[in-house]
Amino acid sequence: MSIAPVKFGGRVSRFCRGLALAFLAGPWTREELRARGEEACDAEVPWLGRLVARVMKRFPERPLGRELELMALLGSSRPLREDVGRGLRIVRWFAVEAEMVPVEGPPATFAVLPLAGPVELGNRLALSPGELAWFSDELGLNIKTRREQLLHYRYRWVAKARGGYRLLEAPKERLKMIQRWLLRHVLAPIPVAPNVHGFVPGRNVRSFVAPHAGQAVVLRMDLEDFFASIGRGRVIALFERLGYPRAMALTLAALCTAATPWHVLQQHPREGNLQQRYHTIQRLRQPHLPQGAPTSPALSNLATWRLDRRLHELAGSYGAMMTRYADDLAFAGDSAFQRSLRFFVPQVGAIALEEGFRINHRKTRIMSRGGRQQLCGLVVNDRPNLPRDELDNLRALLFNAVRSGPESQNRDGHPHFRAHLEGRIAWVASVNSARGARLRALFERVSW
């Protein structure tokens, strides 16, 4: 049975916190708890023995990582509140030695790197406590300053292909190195949902669209401001669920999230949908996953576990399939699923709202088999393939580059045109190796 949160004043809350720390700071026995409790108060407390008995009954083992539950139980004691009102105070504050918290369920089987506290993390990263505090922005300077040297990120607004703007927040070099270390040693070993295909080793755009090929109807939906919608509180809860102590979870989350400075938000382009602009700015004002941080893709996949699971089960109840690639949701099914979309689409929106996201309904597309069914640039009417017009245009560009020189075909002024073409050819080859090989042969004939 869980303890309901108890609302009490500042003095009682402070006293309960001090008493909880005293209880947690040593062996978990009735005698030790009572002794540390009286030492914290520097007084004999008549009702403390009864309260310790209640605590031991509710928590047979030391409740590390559950300090708030312990405080709620302590605060529910009427004698405690009455004596605090008469002047009882915490005289000695105990420090609880941080350690990993055992967890139940699948997280207990994950290869989570044990980190007891910020000091241990700083040692692994070769950072002093002051440097770790600086990169985790404990003083909140990153959101207050306009001075470039004090900012941890570089910012750039870019237009989205399907309307609106996104903010690219690229961490500076030292913070990027820290985030890459966290990605490699903390996040990478943790599995993601099986229907997630973005930013997952061994999965890609082709595996994302493959389950939807040859279906009667394909539904594409978009999660608005995907990374900005995942706030620091959700990331803290994720790290705590993995077993990290509260202080460690706070530090890890602070290193991976950030609020956008106001002067950057004011640079949001004025054109476009006013309501969407408002929602974007409100999300970015709060600490969130920066789009551009190495840790954000992995954390977004872990933070959306419930969303992915619920949408997968919803699609299954309609006899349909569901996959996600970053902010792109894809559903596909037979003619019966197509007839039920008027019920299905609002349910997807409701689940997204319950999980802290919004569907951008302006980007929702229902694609029947009679027309082109396209997901992430691939046509899936029969099997995943690139649109014919895209292939023809690239082939014509390469042929003209062979005949007239590459500069004659660089109409968009790409500064690295050769690398641009190589990237497009590699994309074709990843989907259709035979066509990619033919385009590569044509590319090799270009005189650079």
Side-chain angles (χ1 to χ4, degrees), residues 40-229:
C41 302
D42 194 25
E44 292 186 6
V45 184
W47 43 262
L48 188 57
R50 297 191 300 274
L51 182 57
V52 166
R54 286 184 60 196
V55 169
M56 293 292 293
K57 183 177 181 180
R58 174 65 182 87
F59 302 105
E61 297 181 358
R62 190 163 58 139
L64 289 172
R66 302 169 66 187
E67 291 87 349
L68 294 180
E69 291 182 54
L70 178 56
M71 287 176 60
L73 177 58
L74 298 176
S76 67
S77 168
R78 179 183 293 180
L80 180 150
R81 296 196 302 272
E82 290 175 348
D83 272 8
V84 171
R86 298 188 187 103
L88 186 63
R89 297 287 183 272
I90 295 294
V91 175
R92 179 187 172 190
W93 287 81
F94 285 77
V96 180
E97 185 177 351
E99 58 185 79
M100 293 292 288
V101 181
V103 295
E104 299 177 356
T109 66
F110 299 161
V112 176
L113 176 69
L115 294 169
V119 173
E120 182 179 351
L121 176 63
N123 291 337
R124 287 178 178 266
L125 292 169
L127 296 175
S128 68
E131 288 176 315
L132 187 61
W134 165 251
F135 287 113
S136 59
D137 197 25
E138 288 186 1
L139 299 179
L141 295 177
N142 196 68
I143 196 173
K144 299 174 184 176
T145 184
R146 286 175 175 264
R147 297 172 60 187
E148 173 65 26
Q149 62 268 34
L150 295 181
L151 294 174
H152 290 314
Y153 292 84
R154 295 184 176 92
Y155 303 93
R156 182 164 61 95
W157 290 100
V158 296
K160 298 180 183 178
R162 289 179 281 180
Y165 291 84
R166 65 166 49 92
L167 178 64
L168 297 184
E169 302 172 276
K172 293 181 180 178
E173 197 57 37
R174 289 196 68 191
L175 179 57
K176 184 187 294 185
M177 291 175 60
I178 294 170
Q179 291 174 342
R180 283 176 175 166
W181 187 92
L182 293 175
L183 173 63
R184 183 168 60 254
H185 295 284
V186 177
L187 300 174
I190 306 170
V192 301
N195 53 338
V196 176
H197 294 265
F199 322 117
V200 181
R203 306 180 201 174
N204 50 36
V205 170
R206 186 164 185 170
S207 67
F208 163 66
V209 305
H212 308 296
Q215 298 295 320
V217 64
V218 175
L219 169 66
R220 185 183 73 213
M221 304 182 77
D222 179 85
L223 295 170
E224 188 176 270
D225 296 328
F226 179 57
F227 288 107
S229 296

Side-chain angles (χ1 to χ4, degrees), residues 154-332:
R154 295 184 176 92
Y155 303 93
R156 182 164 61 95
W157 290 100
V158 296
K160 298 180 183 178
R162 289 179 281 180
Y165 291 84
R166 65 166 49 92
L167 178 64
L168 297 184
E169 302 172 276
K172 293 181 180 178
E173 197 57 37
R174 289 196 68 191
L175 179 57
K176 184 187 294 185
M177 291 175 60
I178 294 170
Q179 291 174 342
R180 283 176 175 166
W181 187 92
L182 293 175
L183 173 63
R184 183 168 60 254
H185 295 284
V186 177
L187 300 174
I190 306 170
V192 301
N195 53 338
V196 176
H197 294 265
F199 322 117
V200 181
R203 306 180 201 174
N204 50 36
V205 170
R206 186 164 185 170
S207 67
F208 163 66
V209 305
H212 308 296
Q215 298 295 320
V217 64
V218 175
L219 169 66
R220 185 183 73 213
M221 304 182 77
D222 179 85
L223 295 170
E224 188 176 270
D225 296 328
F226 179 57
F227 288 107
S229 296
I230 302 174
R232 181 171 294 176
R234 187 181 299 213
V235 179
I236 292 171
L238 168 65
F239 283 122
E240 287 189 307
R241 181 72 184 100
L242 294 171
Y244 288 106
R246 178 73 177 179
M248 188 70 263
L250 290 171
T251 300
L252 290 171
L255 290 169
C256 300
T257 59
T260 306
W262 180 245
H263 74 274
V264 176
L265 297 177
Q266 289 177 312
Q267 297 168 8
H268 188 298
R270 299 289 175 175
E271 65 268 19
N273 184 279
L274 181 62
Q275 185 180 32
Q276 184 178 2
R277 178 176 180 269
Y278 171 79
H279 286 308
T280 297
I281 289 176
Q282 293 305 309
R283 294 184 182 110
L284 292 172
R285 289 181 66 182
Q286 307 302 318
H288 59 275
L289 294 182
Q291 186 164 350
T295 47
S296 291
L299 282 171
S300 69
N301 283 339
L302 297 174
T304 52
W305 177 276
R306 269 174 49 94
L307 173 71
D308 295 323
R309 185 179 182 87
R310 293 183 66 184
L311 292 180
H312 176 75
E313 292 177 352
L314 175 67
S317 70
Y318 280 84
M321 290 164 289
M322 175 264 174
T323 58
R324 180 177 65 79
Y325 193 100
D327 55 354
D328 283 325
L329 301 174
F331 307 88

Side-chain angles (χ1 to χ4, degrees), residues 356-386:
F357 297 90
R358 287 173 62 94
I359 297 293
N360 188 344
H361 291 290
R362 292 183 299 277
K363 298 182 180 179
T364 297
R365 298 290 182 270
I366 298 173
M367 299 166 283
S368 62
R369 191 164 175 77
R372 176 183 284 186
Q373 297 172 326
Q374 188 165 337
L375 294 170
C376 283
L378 297 181
V379 178
V380 295
N381 290 67
D382 295 310
R383 58 186 179 85
N385 208 345
L386 289 161

